[in-house]
C-alpha cells in the first residue's frame, strides 16, 4: 500500500503541496504555532456517501477521489497531515442524521465532501448548517438543495435543472423519439430528475409510473411500457433498480432505448442488467468523463487503486477535496474560516479543468456546468457526446 501511494503521487502531489501557499502550516492566530503542532495538523475532512450497499459503486469512486487528494497532500505535508473520516450512508436518508451528528460532534472535522445523494443531503445538510460545517457535494443534484438559505452548502456540479433538460434534448434530438415513457423511483433525486425531463418532452411523454428503491419485481410496469408503444424510456433513480427494470422490460419484448441519469452511470448497472440487455443504454451526467481527466489524475488514481479506472465523479471529488485542503493549508483551520474560503474560491480544478466558483446559493457558476451523454458499448460505459446547452 505504501509503495502504491508513492507511485500515485507524481506531479499532482507537487501541485497539492503548492496549493494554498508556501507555508506548510500557516498559523491561524498568534496563539497557533507553525510546524507539527499547528492548528492545521490533524484536522479531518469527511467523505459522506454510500460505501456499502446497493449504491456503493457510485460512492466508492467518489471516496477514492477524496482519499487520493488527501493521501497526496499528506505525502507533501508529512509534518502536518489531514485525516479522512469515512461516513458510510449506504445511500439511505434514514442513516444520514446520525452520521451528520457524528461529523459535527468531532471538532477536528472542518469540511464534508458530500453528501453524495440528494435524499441524504436533505436531512444531513441542515445539521451541517447549524454547526457551521462547510460541505461540497460532488454529486447531489436535486435543485431545491440550494433554495434553503444554507450558507455552508456548495455543489461541485450542475443540478438537475441542467441534467434533466439535457437528457430530454438527447431523447428528442438524438434518439428522435416522439413516444417516451418516464419512470422514477420516488427518491428525492429520481423524482426530481424525471420531472425535469418531462418538462422538456411535454406531449411526447405518453406514460409515466412510479417504482420504489429496493424493488425487485418490475413485471407490472414492464408490461405497461412494452404495451405503450414507447420507443424510449427515461428512468430517474439508481443503477440497481434501473438494471433490474431493463432486464425485465427487455424480457417482455421491449425494443426501445433506456435513458437514465448519473445515478445509473456506473459499471455496476451493466452487471445488474447484463451486457446484452444494457447494450445501447444512454446515461447522462453533469460531468465530463473521469477516464479522460486532465493532468496526472487518471494515472495516479489507477496506481493508488489497483489499476481501477476512475468512475463517475471521482475526478470531481478529487478537485473539490483539494479546495478544502487548499483552505486548510492557507490557515483556515476553523469551520467558519474554511467556509468563507470555499465560498469565495475561484480556480480551476487540476483533474476536471472546471473553474470552481460558487454563487451565493452554493450552486456552481452556470458557465462551468456541462452535461455529457455516455453509452453502454460492448459491456462498458463509454463517453458518447457532450450535450449542447440548448
Amino acid at each position: 500500500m505504501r509503495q502504491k501511494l508513492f507511485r500515485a503521487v507524481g506531479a499532482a502531489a507537487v501541485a497539492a503541496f503548492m496549493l494554498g501557499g508556501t507555508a506548510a502550516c500557516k498559523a491561524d492566530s498568534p496563539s497557533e504555532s507553525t510546524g507539527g503542532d499547528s492548528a492545521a495538523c490533524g484536522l479531518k475532512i469527511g467523505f459522506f456517501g454510500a460505501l456499502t450497499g446497493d449504491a456503493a459503486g457510485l460512492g466508492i469512486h467518489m471516496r477514492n477521489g477524496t482519499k487520493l487528494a488527501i493521501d497526496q497532500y499528506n505525502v507533501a505535508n508529512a509534518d502536518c497531515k489531514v485525516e479522512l473520516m469515512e461516513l458510510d450512508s449506504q445511500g439511505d436518508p434514514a442513516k444520514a442524521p446520525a452520521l451528520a451528528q457524528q461529523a459535527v460532534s468531532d471538532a477536528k472535522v472542518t469540511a464534508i465532501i458530500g453528501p453524495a445523494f440528494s435524499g441524504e443531503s436533505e436531512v444531513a445538510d441542515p445539521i451541517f448548517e447549524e454547526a457551521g460545517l462547510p460541505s461540497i457535494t460532488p454529486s447531489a443534484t436535486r435543485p431545491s438543495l440550494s433554495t434553503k438559505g444554507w450558507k455552508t452548502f456548495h455543489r461541485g456540479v450542475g443540478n438537475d435543472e441542467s441534467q434533466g433538460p439535457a437528457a430530454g434534448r438527447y431523447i428528442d434530438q438524438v434518439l428522435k423519439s416522439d413516444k417516451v415513457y418516464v419512470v422514477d423511483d420516488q427518491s428525492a433525486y429520481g423524482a426530481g430528475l424525471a420531472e425535469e425531463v418531462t418538462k422538456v418532452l411535454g406531449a411526447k411523454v405518453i406514460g409515466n409510473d412510479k417504482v420504489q428503491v429496493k424493488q425487485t419485481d418490475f413485471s407490472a410496469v414492464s408490461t405497461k411500457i412494452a404495451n405503450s408503444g414507447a420507443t424510449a424510456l427515461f428512468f430517474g433513480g439508481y443503477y440497481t433498480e434501473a438494471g433490474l427494470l431493463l432486464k425485465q422490460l427487455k424480457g417482455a419484448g421491449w425494443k426501445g432505448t433506456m435513458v437514465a441519469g448519473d445515478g445509473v452511470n456506473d459499471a455496476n448497472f451493466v452487471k445488474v442488467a447484463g451486457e446484452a440487455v444494457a447494450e445501447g443504454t444512454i446515461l447522462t451526467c453533469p460531468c465530463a468523463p473521469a477516464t479522460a481527466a486532465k493532468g496526472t489524475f487518471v494515472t495516479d488514481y489507477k496506481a493508488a487503486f489497483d489499476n481501477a479506472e476512475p468512475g463517475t465523479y471521482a475526478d470531481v471529488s478529487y478537485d473539490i477535496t483539494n479546495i478544502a485542503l487548499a483552505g486548510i493549508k492557507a490557515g483556515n483551520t476553523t469551520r467558519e474560516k474554511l467556509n468563507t474560503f470555499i465560498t469565495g474560491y475561484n480556480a480551476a480544478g487540476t483533474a476536471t479543468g472546471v473553474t470552481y466558483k460558487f454563487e451565493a446559493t452554493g450552486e456552481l457558476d452556470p458557465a462551468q456546468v456541462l452535461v455529457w451523454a455516455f453509452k453502454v458499448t460492448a459491456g462498458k460505459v463509454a463517453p458518447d457526446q457532450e450535450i449542447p446547452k440548448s
Side-chain angles (χ1 to χ4, degrees):
M1 177 62 72
R2 183 177 178 85
Q3 184 179 11
K4 286 181 182 177
L5 175 58
F6 276 87
R7 286 205 312 268
V9 173
V14 177
F17 176 78
M18 296 302 294
L19 216 52
T22 56
C25 293
K26 181 179 177 182
D28 206 34
S29 72
S31 63
E32 295 168 2
S33 60
T34 57
D37 63 344
S38 165
C41 305
L43 294 181
K44 299 177 184 179
I45 293 175
F47 174 81
F48 195 119
L51 300 177
T52 58
D54 290 344
L58 293 165
I60 287 171
H61 284 290
M62 289 183 267
R63 185 279 311 275
N64 287 353
T66 290
K67 186 177 188 302
L68 179 61
I70 292 174
D71 285 349
Q72 290 177 343
Y73 180 90
N74 286 340
V75 169
N77 299 275
D79 64 335
C80 191
K81 295 182 178 181
V82 171
E83 298 178 24
L84 170 63
M85 172 185 276
E86 295 185 357
L87 299 158
D88 179 13
S89 66
Q90 297 184 337
D92 184 355
K95 298 182 183 299
L99 291 173
Q101 289 291 351
Q102 178 185 341
V104 301
S105 297
D106 188 333
K108 290 288 189 179
V109 176
T110 52
I112 296 292
I113 305 303
F117 303 132
S118 295
E120 62 193 22
S121 296
E122 288 185 326
V123 290
D125 283 343
I127 297 171
F128 298 146
E129 175 72 11
E130 184 177 0
L133 178 59
S135 66
I136 319 175
T137 178
S139 56
T141 55
R142 187 170 178 86
S144 61
L145 294 175
S146 65
T147 67
K148 313 292 187 181
W150 298 328
K151 301 302 182 185
T152 57
F153 170 81
H154 308 85
R155 187 172 359 231
V157 294
N159 65 33
D160 289 336
E161 290 178 350
S162 59
Q163 183 180 193
R169 290 194 300 274
Y170 190 98
I171 293 170
D172 184 34
Q173 299 171 14
V174 180
L175 296 183
K176 299 187 183 303
S177 176
D178 58 4
K179 293 183 178 181
V180 184
Y181 211 98
V182 176
V183 176
D184 71 73
D185 67 355
Q186 303 182 70
S187 68
Y189 159 73
L193 187 57
E195 181 181 353
E196 295 300 326
V197 171
T198 300
K199 288 178 184 177
V200 170
L201 292 174
K204 293 181 179 180
V205 175
I206 61 171
N208 57 74
D209 216 323
K210 304 282 185 181
V211 296
Q212 295 181 335
V213 176
K214 298 188 180 300
Q215 183 173 331
T216 57
D217 182 0
F218 297 94
S219 56
V221 68
S222 294
T223 300
K224 290 180 185 178
I225 298 168
N227 292 338
S228 71
T231 56
L233 163 68
F234 181 82
F235 179 74
Y238 297 98
Y239 63 75
T240 300
E241 290 77 22
L244 293 173
L245 170 59
L246 186 59
K247 181 183 290 187
Q248 293 173 40
L249 187 53
K250 294 290 187 178
W254 188 64
K255 304 296 184 185
T257 302
M258 173 185 273
V259 179
D262 52 326
V264 184
N265 195 335
D266 187 85
N268 282 297
F269 164 71
V270 181
K271 292 180 181 179
V272 174
E275 288 188 15
V277 169
E279 186 74 10
T281 300
I282 302 298
L283 307 172
T284 63
C285 182
C287 64
T291 52
K294 300 178 184 302
T296 63
F297 173 77
V298 175
T299 301
D300 293 345
Y301 187 98
K302 293 174 74 172
F305 302 110
D306 296 322
N307 209 38
E309 294 280 356
T312 303
Y313 294 128
D315 52 341
V316 178
S317 191
Y318 175 85
D319 276 350
I320 62 176
T321 302
N322 273 321
I323 295 174
L325 290 168
I328 291 171
K329 189 175 174 87
N332 300 286
T333 58
T334 67
R335 293 172 178 177
E336 181 181 6
K337 289 185 177 182
L338 187 55
N339 187 63
T340 298
F341 178 88
I342 293 169
T343 299
Y345 194 80
N346 186 355
T350 59
T352 64
V354 169
T355 295
Y356 291 96
K357 178 182 178 183
F358 302 102
E359 297 189 302
T361 59
E363 292 284 7
L364 183 65
D365 178 4
Q368 301 301 317
V369 172
L370 49 77
V371 181
W372 268 74
F374 297 76
K375 188 174 185 177
V376 178
T377 305
K380 295 186 179 297
V381 179
D384 182 43
Q385 61 180 265
E386 184 176 350
I387 304 175
K389 293 185 178 182
S390 60

